[in-house]
Amino acid sequence: MPKKSAQQTSKETLENSQVFYRKYRPDTFGDVAGQEIPRAVLQNAVLRGKIGHAYLFAGERGSGKTSLARIFAKTINCLSLREKLDDPQYKEKLTAKDIEPCNQCAHCRSIQNQQSMDVIEIDAASNRGIDEIRQLREVTRFKPSHLFYKVFIIDEVHMLTKDAFNALLKTLEEPPAYAVFIMATTELHKVLPTIQSRSQRLIFEKLSREDILHVLARIARAEQLDIADDALDIIARAGRGSLRDAESVLNGIAVIADGTITADAVKQLLNMADFSQALEFLSAILSGNAIQALDMVEDLARRSLNEEEFLKYCILILEKTLIITQTKNEGLLEDSFTTEEIYDLTEFGKRFAQTTMLTVVRILLEYYANIKDYPSPLMALEMATIEALAANGTSEQSVSDKNKHDRSGGSALSSDDAATHSAAQPSAHNSTINKIHFSTVAALKKIQDNWAGIVEDLKPFNYSLAALFGAATLVNLVGDELIIRVKYGFHKERLEETKNRLEIERILQEVSGEKLHLACVVGEDEQAQSAANASSASATHQPSAPAYTY
């Protein structure tokens, strides 16, 4: 057996080290998953000699836009195909499906290996200014160095600035005959109408689960992966219509997998929350079970699951539940869920009012859209959970009795009683309330200045508790009682649960240097301030502390 050359060995090593979405990138129109209409349009354009000067590819990420752009660039420059098209007798026998690059000629190989100076790829996300487009216009003036067409592939074209768009528009209005522009975007609405009107627009559909599964199975065979069918199915669904994402997931699992890859192993390796967990979480919110919902968020944090993905998955479940409730068409959900899961969604939709589900999904969508504005995805999920519970009418009655305020040995305070608690029932522990506390103002100021630090210190103990405390408002310090305002009754109960209150008071003592006791009042600013003033009035011999508001 002849020994392999160093060049062959190096090439094989490079191919084996490539990530799957690069290693198995389609080389021909026939290799592209789905996208029958864009493929047919481009193949017919080549067959009939009607190649446009500008194309706009619009669709979801990972749907094949850039791959098809490169294949088209090879096709219109393929030496072998040009020879066939120039022969009238041979051309008569060709159909659109016969239009493919040979991938063997000098032109195809130079493009395939990204060595051609006549195929220029630009990432508009990082080259979005007018100077870059002006440089592109200058390059356009020169004829191709060795290809038939000079092809410009502009990815994420919607990221261009307005001035850059206008500069590009001038090029598109009077392009040279040898120039072909292929622009790709995931956000078509952000592309100027004038650019769209001068381009042939091709819409790339979101890939179906079957399309993605077919490609994943082919890769698994080529890589000789021992993977169960249901495991591949989970990976296909995890791609959410993006083949590139699904291939990346398969790549990651293949690297660390040992032995047969099962569905359970995939879930564990992906560290993903499963369907039943997300459905249980949503049921807790829609049922008004605050304790269960917030405990599940805390469990997500302990397991280091991706809170952003979990929030997105919950939105998907609510969306599809509303769809199946309205249409009764289970086929619309087959790309996202298994048969068993679709049945569960149908039953889930029967349990809750559509108006309630709509309210909750709008809240979750708002937090998901603005998730980057929060210190962490976890806090966004916590706040979304709390607001969804509140909007759903969660009340003190819907919270477990174990969260009732129990500081004095048993009796629970209602939210109405809370506002007058400090004035009407001074606590036994507040024995120094009638003595002058010169340290009150200093302690209050320390707490105010270190509020964010208190929230951070609470996180290791309980993420949900930290979020609730962070959302509260500091009202006043009366004697040794720190009064904070919360918006809802179940917030108060959660904060004043014995184990939670003691942990908060421990941290407050570290920050202020004083042994303080926590008291929560429920309501808006005016109500909380009235409670604080009432508490201040009860301490007749104590100078009033300024009411700092955090």
Side-chain angles (χ1 to χ4, degrees):
M1 187 175 183
K3 291 182 66 177
K4 295 179 181 178
S5 66
Q7 186 176 4
Q8 287 175 316
T9 304
S10 176
K11 183 179 179 182
E12 288 181 3
T13 302
L14 178 62
E15 289 177 349
N16 290 331
S17 65
Q18 282 184 318
V19 292
F20 287 170
Y21 74 85
R22 291 186 182 276
K23 186 175 181 180
Y24 295 99
R25 186 186 291 276
D27 291 330
T28 65
F29 286 109
D31 290 340
V32 175
Q35 314 308 345
E36 288 81 5
I37 293 177
R39 281 190 291 160
V41 168
L42 296 176
Q43 287 175 303
N44 272 298
V46 177
L47 178 63
R48 298 173 182 174
K50 302 289 185 181
I51 298 170
H53 70 276
Y55 294 88
L56 182 58
F57 293 178
E60 298 279 344
R61 60 193 297 269
S63 57
K65 300 184 297 295
T66 306
S67 294
L68 206 54
R70 291 172 178 170
I71 292 169
F72 187 59
K74 285 191 297 183
T75 305
I76 61 178
N77 285 295
C78 178
L79 290 168
S80 177
L81 183 60
R82 172 63 68 95
E83 186 178 335
K84 294 176 182 178
L85 292 173
D86 286 343
D87 185 341
Q89 293 183 343
Y90 197 94
K91 185 179 179 180
E92 288 182 4
K93 302 175 183 178
L94 292 177
T95 65
K97 290 186 178 181
D98 297 321
I99 303 300
E100 294 279 15
C102 72
N103 291 321
Q104 300 297 323
C105 68
H107 286 187
C108 283
R109 287 200 306 271
S110 65
I111 298 172
Q112 185 87 2
N113 298 328
Q114 297 183 338
Q115 295 173 340
S116 174
M117 297 178 61
D118 295 329
V119 176
I120 302 164
E121 295 192 31
I122 301 169
D123 179 12
S126 53
N127 298 279
R128 58 193 305 263
I130 189 171
D131 290 338
E132 287 84 353
I133 300 303
R134 282 174 175 165
Q135 291 175 13
L136 181 148
R137 289 177 60 189
E138 286 299 313
V139 174
T140 307
R141 294 170 50 196
F142 299 99
K143 292 183 178 181
S145 59
H146 69 287
L147 301 182
F148 302 127
Y149 293 94
K150 181 169 280 190
V151 182
F152 300 88
I153 301 174
I154 308 176
D155 199 15
E156 301 296 344
V157 69
H158 63 272
M159 297 290 287
L160 292 178
T161 65
K162 186 177 179 180
D163 289 339
F165 262 131
N166 289 330
L168 177 61
L169 180 62
K170 292 180 180 179
T171 304
L172 297 182
E173 285 176 339
E174 298 179 0
Y178 51 77
V180 175
F181 290 85
I182 306 175
M183 298 164 285
T185 178
T186 54
E187 300 187 50
L188 181 60
H189 62 282
K190 292 185 179 180
V191 180
L192 290 183
T194 46
I195 296 288
Q196 294 192 41
S197 66
R198 287 161 176 79
S199 310
Q200 185 168 354
R201 189 173 63 182
L202 297 177
I203 304 300
F204 285 62
E205 295 181 350
K206 192 174 182 177
L207 293 176
S208 69
R209 178 180 60 88
E210 287 78 7
D211 286 334
I212 296 177
L213 193 57
H214 176 76
V215 176
L216 294 181
R218 177 165 52 83
I219 294 175
R221 287 193 298 270
E223 293 291 323
Q224 298 181 342
L225 296 177
D226 184 7
I227 184 167
D229 291 342
D230 54 351
L232 271 181
D233 189 63
I234 292 173
I235 297 172
R237 294 179 193 278
R240 307 272 174 82
S242 169
L243 177 58
R244 183 170 63 244
D245 288 356
E247 288 173 331
S248 295
V249 171
L250 180 62
N251 199 144
I253 290 173
V255 170
I256 60 177
D258 184 18
T260 301
I261 304 172
T262 64
D264 289 339
V266 169
K267 289 180 181 178
Q268 186 176 2
L269 291 170
L270 289 178
N271 201 19
M272 61 188 293
D274 59 20
F275 172 83
S276 59
Q277 184 180 18
L279 202 64
E280 183 182 357
F281 172 73
L282 291 172
S283 296
I285 289 179
L286 292 166
S287 301
N289 191 333
I291 300 303
Q292 182 185 9
L294 290 169
D295 280 347
M296 291 188 73
V297 172
E298 187 178 335
D299 182 61
L300 283 174
R302 280 197 299 267
R303 293 163 54 197
S304 299
L305 292 182
N306 188 317
E307 295 91 358
E308 184 175 358
E309 282 300 311
F310 182 74
L311 184 56
K312 183 179 179 180
Y313 192 40
C314 289
I315 292 169
L316 175 70
I317 286 177
L318 283 176
E319 174 204 349
K320 299 304 183 183
T321 300
L322 288 165
I323 288 174
I324 199 170
T325 302
Q326 283 287 336
T327 64
K328 313 298 181 187
N329 184 356
E330 297 182 356
L332 296 174
L333 277 62
E334 289 178 352
D335 282 346
S336 303
F337 302 99
T338 65
T339 303
E340 294 79 8
E341 290 170 347
I342 292 173
Y343 173 80
D344 289 341
L345 285 183
T346 304
E347 295 302 308
F348 175 72
K350 294 176 182 177
R351 291 175 52 200
F352 305 103
Q354 292 184 46
T355 52
T356 305
M357 287 191 285
L358 279 169
T359 299
V360 171
V361 77
R362 287 192 186 107
I363 291 170
L364 300 187
L365 277 167
E366 181 180 353
Y367 278 89
Y368 180 75
N370 299 294
I371 201 165
K372 303 301 181 188
D373 296 337
Y374 291 84
S376 68
L378 174 62
M379 183 167 283
L381 177 59
E382 289 168 335
M383 291 296 99
T385 303
I386 291 168
E387 185 169 337
L389 284 163
N392 192 29
T394 302
S395 64
E396 296 176 50
Q397 287 73 29
S398 69
V399 184
S400 171
D401 288 341
K402 73 185 178 78
N403 280 339
K404 294 297 182 182
H405 178 48
D406 194 27
R407 181 192 304 173
S408 59
S411 61
L413 296 178
S414 69
S415 58
D416 293 332
D417 293 335
T420 57
H421 167 60
S422 296
Q425 300 290 338
S427 303
H429 64 251
N430 199 4
S431 58
T432 57
I433 196 167
N434 292 320
K435 298 179 182 178
I436 296 177
H437 282 250
F438 293 106
S439 60
T440 298
V441 173
L444 187 61
K445 188 69 166 60
K446 288 179 182 178
I447 293 170
Q448 180 190 30
D449 292 344
N450 292 281
W451 191 267
I454 296 171
V455 173
E456 287 300 314
D457 288 345
L458 280 171
K459 284 183 178 180
F461 176 75
N462 187 306
Y463 278 89
S464 299
L465 183 67
L468 288 174
F469 189 84
T473 302
L474 176 58
V475 176
N476 208 345
L477 176 60
V478 180
D480 62 353
E481 190 164 66
L482 184 77
I483 304 172
I484 65 172
R485 175 174 53 82
V486 295
K487 193 172 182 181
Y488 302 106
F490 75 89
H491 293 197
K492 165 182 161 57
E493 293 181 349
R494 182 81 168 184
L495 288 165
E496 290 187 341
E497 184 181 356
T498 302
K499 64 176 182 178
N500 294 339
R501 176 176 54 79
L502 290 175
E503 179 64 17
I504 293 171
E505 289 174 353
R506 182 189 68 78
I507 297 173
L508 289 173
Q509 184 175 0
E510 289 182 355
V511 171
S512 67
E514 301 284 342
K515 185 171 177 57
L516 303 176
H517 297 274
L518 181 71
C520 300
V521 293
V522 181
E524 301 301 326
D525 290 338
E526 295 79 11
Q527 293 173 306
Q529 194 59 55
S530 297
N533 292 338
S535 296
S536 298
S538 70
T540 54
H541 298 291
Q542 178 176 323
S544 298
Y548 289 99
T549 300
Y550 176 75

